[in-house]
Amino acid sequence: MIIFFCFVGQSKHIIKTRKMTKNGASRRDRSTFANYTAAVSTKLHLEWTLNFETRTISGYAIHTVKVLQQGTSTVVFDSSKLHIVDVSIDGNPVSFAVGEVSPALGSSVTVSIPEPLRKAGAQFDVVFEYSTYPQA
């Protein structure tokens, strides 16, 4: 049996500033690989096909991303047990790299931002085509 599922969501929280420690160093959220002070996902749209026979989910995740810092060349996402087939920005294929697995955090997915979109305030859609592994 295969079921198609679609979800549309919007984040209500955009990180606008970095919190600083007493000695002036910035605090880093150690529960994520994301470069959330440089670029942030503001919307998420999911289109999934659930396959109960293979115990997998396949489909697309579309993140609307806003660049917060001028010159940001990559946006980093968190993932866990995903087979990423393709990544595109606004319909154009882009390079991406999946980091090594951390038992606590999963893997980072670093996506290259095309040069014209590397300015503060730029917005674009990052589309991930992926599937899960049966053990996910």
Side-chain angles (χ1 to χ4, degrees), residues 4 7 10 19 21 23 31 34 42 48 58-60 71 81 90 92-94 96-97 114-115 124:
F4 179 77
F7 169 79
Q10 182 170 354
K19 294 184 179 180
T21 61
N23 66 3
S31 65
T42 60
W48 287 343
S58 60
Y60 299 87
K81 299 179 182 167
D90 290 342
N92 300 306
V94 293
F96 68 95
E115 186 72 38
F124 49 85

PDB file of all heavy atoms in Angstrom, residues 4 7 10 19 21 23 31 34 42 48 58-60 71 81 90 92-94 96-97 114-115 124:
ATOM      1  N   PHE A   4       0.009   8.874  -0.398  1.00  0.00           N
ATOM      2  CA  PHE A   4       0.623  10.159  -0.707  1.00  0.00           C
ATOM      3  C   PHE A   4       0.226  11.142   0.381  1.00  0.00           C
ATOM      4  O   PHE A   4      -0.934  11.200   0.780  1.00  0.00           O
ATOM      5  CB  PHE A   4       0.143  10.664  -2.071  1.00  0.00           C
ATOM      6  CG  PHE A   4       0.723  11.993  -2.434  1.00  0.00           C
ATOM      7  CD1 PHE A   4       2.029  12.094  -2.876  1.00  0.00           C
ATOM      8  CD2 PHE A   4      -0.019  13.139  -2.309  1.00  0.00           C
ATOM      9  CE1 PHE A   4       2.573  13.308  -3.202  1.00  0.00           C
ATOM     10  CE2 PHE A   4       0.505  14.369  -2.631  1.00  0.00           C
ATOM     11  CZ  PHE A   4       1.810  14.452  -3.078  1.00  0.00           C
ATOM     12  N   PHE A   7       2.305  18.241   3.168  1.00  0.00           N
ATOM     13  CA  PHE A   7       2.283  19.120   4.336  1.00  0.00           C
ATOM     14  C   PHE A   7       2.861  20.469   3.935  1.00  0.00           C
ATOM     15  O   PHE A   7       3.856  20.531   3.244  1.00  0.00           O
ATOM     16  CB  PHE A   7       3.143  18.520   5.458  1.00  0.00           C
ATOM     17  CG  PHE A   7       3.402  19.457   6.596  1.00  0.00           C
ATOM     18  CD1 PHE A   7       2.448  19.668   7.559  1.00  0.00           C
ATOM     19  CD2 PHE A   7       4.598  20.134   6.689  1.00  0.00           C
ATOM     20  CE1 PHE A   7       2.689  20.538   8.609  1.00  0.00           C
ATOM     21  CE2 PHE A   7       4.841  21.003   7.734  1.00  0.00           C
ATOM     22  CZ  PHE A   7       3.881  21.202   8.689  1.00  0.00           C
ATOM     23  N   GLN A  10       4.877  26.869   7.962  1.00  0.00           N
ATOM     24  CA  GLN A  10       5.645  28.110   7.961  1.00  0.00           C
ATOM     25  C   GLN A  10       6.208  28.330   9.345  1.00  0.00           C
ATOM     26  O   GLN A  10       5.500  28.246  10.334  1.00  0.00           O
ATOM     27  CB  GLN A  10       4.760  29.285   7.568  1.00  0.00           C
ATOM     28  CG  GLN A  10       5.531  30.584   7.506  1.00  0.00           C
ATOM     29  CD  GLN A  10       4.725  31.703   6.889  1.00  0.00           C
ATOM     30  OE1 GLN A  10       3.642  31.498   6.404  1.00  0.00           O
ATOM     31  NE2 GLN A  10       5.269  32.884   6.926  1.00  0.00           N
ATOM     32  N   LYS A  19      23.227  35.674  20.191  1.00  0.00           N
ATOM     33  CA  LYS A  19      23.403  35.938  21.610  1.00  0.00           C
ATOM     34  C   LYS A  19      24.882  35.855  21.918  1.00  0.00           C
ATOM     35  O   LYS A  19      25.596  35.008  21.401  1.00  0.00           O
ATOM     36  CB  LYS A  19      22.622  34.924  22.440  1.00  0.00           C
ATOM     37  CG  LYS A  19      21.127  35.062  22.262  1.00  0.00           C
ATOM     38  CD  LYS A  19      20.387  34.120  23.150  1.00  0.00           C
ATOM     39  CE  LYS A  19      18.896  34.301  22.954  1.00  0.00           C
ATOM     40  NZ  LYS A  19      18.111  33.413  23.784  1.00  0.00           N
ATOM     41  N   THR A  21      28.100  35.728  24.789  1.00  0.00           N
ATOM     42  CA  THR A  21      28.479  35.393  26.148  1.00  0.00           C
ATOM     43  C   THR A  21      29.153  36.601  26.780  1.00  0.00           C
ATOM     44  O   THR A  21      29.412  37.599  26.113  1.00  0.00           O
ATOM     45  CB  THR A  21      29.444  34.189  26.174  1.00  0.00           C
ATOM     46  OG1 THR A  21      30.616  34.540  25.466  1.00  0.00           O
ATOM     47  CG2 THR A  21      28.799  32.958  25.554  1.00  0.00           C
ATOM     48  N   ASN A  23      32.188  37.089  27.588  1.00  0.00           N
ATOM     49  CA  ASN A  23      33.490  37.427  27.013  1.00  0.00           C
ATOM     50  C   ASN A  23      33.397  37.839  25.541  1.00  0.00           C
ATOM     51  O   ASN A  23      34.405  38.020  24.884  1.00  0.00           O
ATOM     52  CB  ASN A  23      34.483  36.273  27.189  1.00  0.00           C
ATOM     53  CG  ASN A  23      34.086  35.043  26.400  1.00  0.00           C
ATOM     54  OD1 ASN A  23      33.099  35.038  25.667  1.00  0.00           O
ATOM     55  ND2 ASN A  23      34.851  33.986  26.559  1.00  0.00           N
ATOM     56  N   SER A  31      22.961  21.684  19.020  1.00  0.00           N
ATOM     57  CA  SER A  31      22.019  20.632  18.621  1.00  0.00           C
ATOM     58  C   SER A  31      21.713  20.680  17.127  1.00  0.00           C
ATOM     59  O   SER A  31      20.792  20.017  16.668  1.00  0.00           O
ATOM     60  CB  SER A  31      20.724  20.751  19.429  1.00  0.00           C
ATOM     61  OG  SER A  31      20.071  21.967  19.108  1.00  0.00           O
ATOM     62  N   ALA A  34      23.205  23.516  11.324  1.00  0.00           N
ATOM     63  CA  ALA A  34      22.762  24.637  10.491  1.00  0.00           C
ATOM     64  C   ALA A  34      23.555  25.915  10.752  1.00  0.00           C
ATOM     65  O   ALA A  34      23.948  26.202  11.877  1.00  0.00           O
ATOM     66  CB  ALA A  34      21.276  24.904  10.738  1.00  0.00           C
ATOM     67  N   THR A  42      12.397  29.678   6.177  1.00  0.00           N
ATOM     68  CA  THR A  42      11.219  30.384   6.684  1.00  0.00           C
ATOM     69  C   THR A  42       9.919  29.647   6.394  1.00  0.00           C
ATOM     70  O   THR A  42       8.903  29.933   7.015  1.00  0.00           O
ATOM     71  CB  THR A  42      11.122  31.801   6.090  1.00  0.00           C
ATOM     72  OG1 THR A  42      11.033  31.711   4.670  1.00  0.00           O
ATOM     73  CG2 THR A  42      12.331  32.638   6.494  1.00  0.00           C
ATOM     74  N   TRP A  48       5.154  13.726   0.246  1.00  0.00           N
ATOM     75  CA  TRP A  48       5.672  12.405   0.566  1.00  0.00           C
ATOM     76  C   TRP A  48       4.818  11.305  -0.036  1.00  0.00           C
ATOM     77  O   TRP A  48       3.598  11.420  -0.117  1.00  0.00           O
ATOM     78  CB  TRP A  48       5.672  12.181   2.067  1.00  0.00           C
ATOM     79  CG  TRP A  48       6.698  12.919   2.838  1.00  0.00           C
ATOM     80  CD1 TRP A  48       7.824  13.526   2.377  1.00  0.00           C
ATOM     81  CD2 TRP A  48       6.689  13.113   4.245  1.00  0.00           C
ATOM     82  NE1 TRP A  48       8.520  14.087   3.414  1.00  0.00           N
ATOM     83  CE2 TRP A  48       7.844  13.848   4.571  1.00  0.00           C
ATOM     84  CE3 TRP A  48       5.842  12.734   5.262  1.00  0.00           C
ATOM     85  CZ2 TRP A  48       8.165  14.204   5.878  1.00  0.00           C
ATOM     86  CZ3 TRP A  48       6.151  13.091   6.548  1.00  0.00           C
ATOM     87  CH2 TRP A  48       7.304  13.817   6.854  1.00  0.00           C
ATOM     88  N   SER A  58       9.362   8.583   0.435  1.00  0.00           N
ATOM     89  CA  SER A  58      10.088   9.264  -0.637  1.00  0.00           C
ATOM     90  C   SER A  58       9.322  10.509  -1.021  1.00  0.00           C
ATOM     91  O   SER A  58       8.112  10.606  -0.794  1.00  0.00           O
ATOM     92  CB  SER A  58      10.277   8.351  -1.848  1.00  0.00           C
ATOM     93  OG  SER A  58       9.022   7.956  -2.360  1.00  0.00           O
ATOM     94  N   GLY A  59      10.030  11.462  -1.581  1.00  0.00           N
ATOM     95  CA  GLY A  59       9.350  12.681  -1.997  1.00  0.00           C
ATOM     96  C   GLY A  59      10.266  13.876  -2.022  1.00  0.00           C
ATOM     97  O   GLY A  59      11.466  13.757  -2.265  1.00  0.00           O
ATOM     98  N   TYR A  60       9.652  15.021  -1.725  1.00  0.00           N
ATOM     99  CA  TYR A  60      10.335  16.305  -1.820  1.00  0.00           C
ATOM    100  C   TYR A  60      10.151  17.103  -0.533  1.00  0.00           C
ATOM    101  O   TYR A  60       9.089  17.050   0.084  1.00  0.00           O
ATOM    102  CB  TYR A  60       9.749  17.142  -2.960  1.00  0.00           C
ATOM    103  CG  TYR A  60       9.892  16.514  -4.305  1.00  0.00           C
ATOM    104  CD1 TYR A  60       8.940  15.626  -4.791  1.00  0.00           C
ATOM    105  CD2 TYR A  60      10.997  16.796  -5.094  1.00  0.00           C
ATOM    106  CE1 TYR A  60       9.076  15.039  -6.041  1.00  0.00           C
ATOM    107  CE2 TYR A  60      11.142  16.218  -6.342  1.00  0.00           C
ATOM    108  CZ  TYR A  60      10.177  15.337  -6.803  1.00  0.00           C
ATOM    109  OH  TYR A  60      10.330  14.767  -8.031  1.00  0.00           O
ATOM    110  N   GLY A  71      27.012  37.778   1.416  1.00  0.00           N
ATOM    111  CA  GLY A  71      28.113  36.906   1.016  1.00  0.00           C
ATOM    112  C   GLY A  71      27.984  35.460   1.447  1.00  0.00           C
ATOM    113  O   GLY A  71      28.921  34.681   1.251  1.00  0.00           O
ATOM    114  N   LYS A  81      19.537   9.708   8.177  1.00  0.00           N
ATOM    115  CA  LYS A  81      19.140   8.495   7.450  1.00  0.00           C
ATOM    116  C   LYS A  81      18.332   8.785   6.195  1.00  0.00           C
ATOM    117  O   LYS A  81      17.310   8.173   5.936  1.00  0.00           O
ATOM    118  CB  LYS A  81      18.391   7.556   8.382  1.00  0.00           C
ATOM    119  CG  LYS A  81      19.233   7.103   9.557  1.00  0.00           C
ATOM    120  CD  LYS A  81      18.486   6.199  10.492  1.00  0.00           C
ATOM    121  CE  LYS A  81      19.384   5.839  11.658  1.00  0.00           C
ATOM    122  NZ  LYS A  81      18.686   5.225  12.746  1.00  0.00           N
ATOM    123  N   ASP A  90      15.540  27.162  -6.856  1.00  0.00           N
ATOM    124  CA  ASP A  90      14.677  27.818  -7.850  1.00  0.00           C
ATOM    125  C   ASP A  90      14.692  27.089  -9.190  1.00  0.00           C
ATOM    126  O   ASP A  90      14.748  27.687 -10.257  1.00  0.00           O
ATOM    127  CB  ASP A  90      15.062  29.290  -8.021  1.00  0.00           C
ATOM    128  CG  ASP A  90      14.713  30.123  -6.794  1.00  0.00           C
ATOM    129  OD1 ASP A  90      13.886  29.665  -5.976  1.00  0.00           O
ATOM    130  OD2 ASP A  90      15.268  31.221  -6.657  1.00  0.00           O
ATOM    131  N   ASN A  92      17.018  25.109 -10.501  1.00  0.00           N
ATOM    132  CA  ASN A  92      18.329  24.845 -11.095  1.00  0.00           C
ATOM    133  C   ASN A  92      19.147  23.921 -10.187  1.00  0.00           C
ATOM    134  O   ASN A  92      19.284  24.205  -8.993  1.00  0.00           O
ATOM    135  CB  ASN A  92      19.099  26.150 -11.311  1.00  0.00           C
ATOM    136  CG  ASN A  92      18.352  27.079 -12.245  1.00  0.00           C
ATOM    137  OD1 ASN A  92      17.999  26.703 -13.350  1.00  0.00           O
ATOM    138  ND2 ASN A  92      18.084  28.296 -11.779  1.00  0.00           N
ATOM    139  N   PRO A  93      19.704  22.840 -10.739  1.00  0.00           N
ATOM    140  CA  PRO A  93      20.511  21.936  -9.914  1.00  0.00           C
ATOM    141  C   PRO A  93      21.691  22.671  -9.273  1.00  0.00           C
ATOM    142  O   PRO A  93      22.289  23.552  -9.893  1.00  0.00           O
ATOM    143  CB  PRO A  93      21.026  20.889 -10.909  1.00  0.00           C
ATOM    144  CG  PRO A  93      20.145  21.009 -12.102  1.00  0.00           C
ATOM    145  CD  PRO A  93      19.655  22.430 -12.134  1.00  0.00           C
ATOM    146  N   VAL A  94      21.977  22.329  -8.020  1.00  0.00           N
ATOM    147  CA  VAL A  94      23.118  22.911  -7.303  1.00  0.00           C
ATOM    148  C   VAL A  94      23.918  21.795  -6.650  1.00  0.00           C
ATOM    149  O   VAL A  94      23.419  20.689  -6.444  1.00  0.00           O
ATOM    150  CB  VAL A  94      22.675  23.936  -6.231  1.00  0.00           C
ATOM    151  CG1 VAL A  94      22.067  25.166  -6.863  1.00  0.00           C
ATOM    152  CG2 VAL A  94      21.714  23.316  -5.230  1.00  0.00           C
ATOM    153  N   PHE A  96      25.805  19.877  -3.607  1.00  0.00           N
ATOM    154  CA  PHE A  96      25.554  19.687  -2.176  1.00  0.00           C
ATOM    155  C   PHE A  96      26.485  18.602  -1.664  1.00  0.00           C
ATOM    156  O   PHE A  96      27.006  17.799  -2.434  1.00  0.00           O
ATOM    157  CB  PHE A  96      24.090  19.325  -1.906  1.00  0.00           C
ATOM    158  CG  PHE A  96      23.669  17.966  -2.407  1.00  0.00           C
ATOM    159  CD1 PHE A  96      23.676  16.864  -1.562  1.00  0.00           C
ATOM    160  CD2 PHE A  96      23.275  17.789  -3.725  1.00  0.00           C
ATOM    161  CE1 PHE A  96      23.297  15.615  -2.017  1.00  0.00           C
ATOM    162  CE2 PHE A  96      22.897  16.543  -4.196  1.00  0.00           C
ATOM    163  CZ  PHE A  96      22.902  15.445  -3.346  1.00  0.00           C
ATOM    164  N   ALA A  97      26.707  18.613  -0.364  1.00  0.00           N
ATOM    165  CA  ALA A  97      27.562  17.610   0.260  1.00  0.00           C
ATOM    166  C   ALA A  97      26.925  17.162   1.567  1.00  0.00           C
ATOM    167  O   ALA A  97      26.437  17.987   2.341  1.00  0.00           O
ATOM    168  CB  ALA A  97      28.938  18.188   0.535  1.00  0.00           C
ATOM    169  N   PRO A 114      23.896  29.852  -5.336  1.00  0.00           N
ATOM    170  CA  PRO A 114      24.420  30.532  -6.525  1.00  0.00           C
ATOM    171  C   PRO A 114      24.809  31.981  -6.221  1.00  0.00           C
ATOM    172  O   PRO A 114      24.179  32.649  -5.396  1.00  0.00           O
ATOM    173  CB  PRO A 114      23.255  30.478  -7.516  1.00  0.00           C
ATOM    174  CG  PRO A 114      22.421  29.325  -7.057  1.00  0.00           C
ATOM    175  CD  PRO A 114      22.560  29.302  -5.563  1.00  0.00           C
ATOM    176  N   GLU A 115      25.833  32.463  -6.890  1.00  0.00           N
ATOM    177  CA  GLU A 115      26.396  33.796  -6.655  1.00  0.00           C
ATOM    178  C   GLU A 115      25.355  34.918  -6.582  1.00  0.00           C
ATOM    179  O   GLU A 115      25.388  35.734  -5.660  1.00  0.00           O
ATOM    180  CB  GLU A 115      27.444  34.100  -7.736  1.00  0.00           C
ATOM    181  CG  GLU A 115      28.204  35.379  -7.514  1.00  0.00           C
ATOM    182  CD  GLU A 115      29.203  35.294  -6.371  1.00  0.00           C
ATOM    183  OE1 GLU A 115      29.839  34.247  -6.214  1.00  0.00           O
ATOM    184  OE2 GLU A 115      29.329  36.297  -5.636  1.00  0.00           O
ATOM    185  N   PHE A 124      14.912  32.269  -1.712  1.00  0.00           N
ATOM    186  CA  PHE A 124      14.858  31.271  -2.773  1.00  0.00           C
ATOM    187  C   PHE A 124      14.347  29.957  -2.201  1.00  0.00           C
ATOM    188  O   PHE A 124      14.316  29.774  -0.988  1.00  0.00           O
ATOM    189  CB  PHE A 124      16.245  31.076  -3.411  1.00  0.00           C
ATOM    190  CG  PHE A 124      17.349  30.875  -2.410  1.00  0.00           C
ATOM    191  CD1 PHE A 124      17.632  29.623  -1.898  1.00  0.00           C
ATOM    192  CD2 PHE A 124      18.103  31.957  -1.980  1.00  0.00           C
ATOM    193  CE1 PHE A 124      18.649  29.449  -0.976  1.00  0.00           C
ATOM    194  CE2 PHE A 124      19.132  31.792  -1.070  1.00  0.00           C
ATOM    195  CZ  PHE A 124      19.402  30.528  -0.559  1.00  0.00           C
TER     196      PHE A 124
END
